[in-house]
Amino acid sequence: MTRSFDPSGVALPIGHWIHGKYVECPGRIELLRPSDGAAYFCCPIADAVMVDRLAKQWRST
């Protein structure tokens, strides 16, 4: 099977979108493409500090 689209060529930002910008997170979980099982993305995982930061920013708006 020949693919006309190469998913490894797609760049995705890594982080949480908070108040109009991407914010880096300490934890990540690896995601696999279902088409071929290759690792293609590390999804950010927010920790308690990140959640507290978001809550404080939200309350201040």
Side-chain angles (χ1 to χ4, degrees):
M1 180 174 144
T2 304
R3 293 184 290 189
S4 61
F5 171 73
D6 182 9
S8 62
V10 177
L12 299 171
I14 300 174
H16 289 284
W17 186 254
I18 299 174
H19 287 277
K21 64 181 178 179
Y22 279 100
V23 178
E24 289 289 322
C25 296
R28 301 209 191 309
I29 185 169
E30 186 175 68
L31 301 178
L32 306 176
R33 281 194 303 246
S35 60
D36 60 5
Y40 76 100
F41 187 71
C42 288
C43 184
I45 300 173
D47 59 4
V49 173
M50 177 66 64
V51 173
D52 286 343
R53 178 178 163 193
L54 174 60
K56 287 176 186 174
Q57 288 179 347
W58 178 77
R59 286 184 193 122
S60 69
T61 59

